[in-house]
Amino acid sequence: MRIARSSILNHFSFTDEVLLFCHGDYQSSYLMLQGMLIFSKTSGLYPNKNKSEIYCSGLKETDLQRLLDAFGFSKSILPFKYLGMPINSKRFSAKDFQILVDKITTRIRIWSSRHLSFTGRVVLINSFILAIHSYWSQIIIIPKRVIKDITMICRAFWWTGKAT
């Protein structure tokens, strides 16, 4: 197999989920999918066509349809979630981080129903809330406004034991 100079193959892999990236033209996409088929034939590991999707940005509609016909995958649109993280081709706005703020608020509401000591609340904030924040921060740059919102929620829980 000859790979064109402009196509670079990258991947993210975790358990049974794999993301493959290539240059946004037909030849690169076709070569990447051909490489995946060669891997499948040699390893015996085949992608589930019912669960596999193609996300394209900048590929002509005719070329995309040729890929879909050739490999049997379905087309999907951005954004999507991978390991709980939203994946998008555009820059995220503060509104896109509402998922993170809601996740933290929901967790604190559950904890608010319990009678926790001041120290217990500190431990929960440091172990859980900051772990979620750190996980997201390693992958995406979180806007200052969202960080301020998370800080306000944590402070309210720390001092009052409630989410607000």
Side-chain angles (χ1 to χ4, degrees):
M1 173 184 4
R2 200 179 115 216
I3 298 179
R5 272 189 6 231
S6 65
S7 66
I8 298 172
L9 179 65
N10 291 322
H11 70 282
F12 292 138
S13 180
F14 184 78
T15 59
D16 62 346
E17 293 187 24
V18 177
L19 294 177
L20 301 172
F21 299 91
C22 68
H23 194 265
D25 61 6
Y26 177 77
Q27 182 183 8
S28 298
S29 303
Y30 185 80
L31 289 173
M32 182 188 64
L33 291 172
Q34 283 293 329
M36 187 180 66
L37 288 178
I38 292 170
F39 170 79
S40 295
K41 288 178 182 176
T42 56
S43 68
L45 300 171
Y46 291 91
N48 184 340
K49 293 187 180 187
N50 295 329
K51 295 181 180 178
S52 300
E53 298 171 329
I54 293 179
Y55 297 89
C56 292
S57 180
L59 190 64
K60 293 178 188 173
E61 196 62 38
T62 55
D63 291 339
L64 174 60
Q65 192 56 49
R66 286 172 50 197
L67 287 172
L68 295 173
D69 293 341
F71 295 97
F73 297 133
S74 61
K75 177 189 172 193
S76 194
I77 58 170
L78 295 171
F80 66 94
K81 284 188 179 182
Y82 180 70
L83 302 177
M85 295 297 305
I87 306 295
N88 197 351
S89 62
K90 300 174 185 171
R91 185 176 181 167
F92 287 101
S93 66
K95 185 174 71 172
D96 296 322
F97 288 93
Q98 191 60 40
I99 300 165
L100 174 62
V101 175
D102 290 344
K103 183 181 281 193
I104 290 171
T105 304
T106 301
R107 182 61 62 164
I108 287 178
R109 283 192 180 126
I110 292 168
W111 294 336
S112 296
S113 64
R114 300 181 182 141
H115 298 290
L116 298 171
S117 68
F118 186 76
T119 308
R121 292 191 298 261
V122 171
V123 169
L124 288 174
I125 290 170
N126 285 334
S127 64
F128 183 78
I129 305 296
L130 295 181
I132 292 174
H133 177 270
S134 297
Y135 176 69
W136 280 59
S137 296
Q138 290 174 7
I139 299 167
I140 300 173
I141 297 172
I142 300 176
K144 287 182 183 180
R145 180 175 152 224
V146 175
I147 293 172
K148 285 181 182 179
D149 290 346
I150 293 170
T151 303
M152 284 185 352
I153 294 166
C154 290
R155 283 182 183 163
F157 176 64
W158 186 23
W159 289 109
T160 66
K162 296 182 178 151
T164 57

